[in-house]
Amino acid sequence: MSQVTLGGNPVPVNGALPAVGSQAKPFTLVGKDLADVSLSAFAGKKKVLNIFPSIDTPTCATSVRKFNEQASKLDNTVVLCISADLPFAQNRFCGAEGLNNVQTLSLMRGRQFLNDYGVEIAGGPLVGVAARAVVVLDANDKVVHTELVPEIANEPDYDAALAALK
């Protein structure tokens, strides 16, 4: 079990992030059209998994905007924004913000992802949703970078995540 904080208060997180150098576990989440979307749909591409509690919080929204801005500069790379939000809310946010360089994925039918990637908040007011984390995969789905953000209200280290793609 890991631990992060929310407003300085300890929050337990089940499991651990995948180890750098390990093969990413396959997953199936829900895309904006309610269709299942699997990790294999992005075969041959580098992947940034931007994982967060909800797109309707300021820090989560900021991370989606910043990764969207950077994604347009990346070759052969997809940014997957993964949260507990329903696809409708994810789509509404990205449409209103004009964000089209990221792909949102919902955990609504993919709760196993929380366990497999060690990001399930296990206590406190956000129990059951994802902690803020970034997992970067190479084109062969090997884990090349991970970060479990220590304070949920803080942004991830964008530079470290993007540097792992080079």
Side-chain angles (χ1 to χ4, degrees):
M1 182 170 284
S2 304
Q3 181 175 291
V4 296
T5 58
L6 177 62
N9 297 310
V11 175
V13 178
N14 282 334
L17 292 176
V20 171
S22 68
Q23 194 67 23
K25 288 192 177 184
F27 61 79
T28 300
L29 300 173
V30 181
K32 64 182 177 180
D33 60 356
L34 298 179
D36 287 345
V37 178
S38 297
L39 177 61
S40 62
F42 308 101
K45 291 184 180 260
K46 299 174 191 173
K47 292 155 276 294
V48 176
L49 309 183
N50 178 27
I51 305 161
F52 49 87
S54 173
I55 206 160
D56 284 322
T57 63
T59 307
C60 301
T62 298
S63 74
V64 173
R65 286 185 200 104
K66 286 191 178 180
F67 275 124
N68 179 75
E69 178 185 328
Q70 294 298 319
S72 63
K73 303 173 189 170
L74 304 173
D75 290 330
N76 195 40
T77 302
V78 61
V79 177
L80 305 176
C81 294
I82 301 169
S83 71
D85 299 292
L86 293 175
F88 314 112
Q90 294 172 332
N91 223 13
R92 173 192 41 76
F93 175 84
C94 289
E97 295 279 332
L99 306 178
N100 51 21
N101 295 318
V102 296
Q103 180 159 346
T104 56
L105 296 173
S106 172
L107 294 162
M108 69 182 265
R109 291 191 304 262
R111 304 222 19 104
Q112 185 62 39
F113 176 90
L114 294 169
N115 295 320
D116 289 348
Y117 282 76
V119 295
E120 182 180 25
I121 294 176
L126 296 177
V127 67
V129 301
R132 184 174 320 287
V134 177
V135 177
V136 180
L137 310 177
D138 71 8
N140 297 309
D141 296 337
K142 184 172 96 177
V143 178
V144 295
H145 170 80
T146 64
E147 177 190 12
L148 179 62
V149 180
E151 166 60 47
I152 294 172
N154 291 346
E155 294 177 53
D157 185 343
Y158 303 104
D159 292 337
L162 297 171
L165 294 166
K166 297 178 180 175

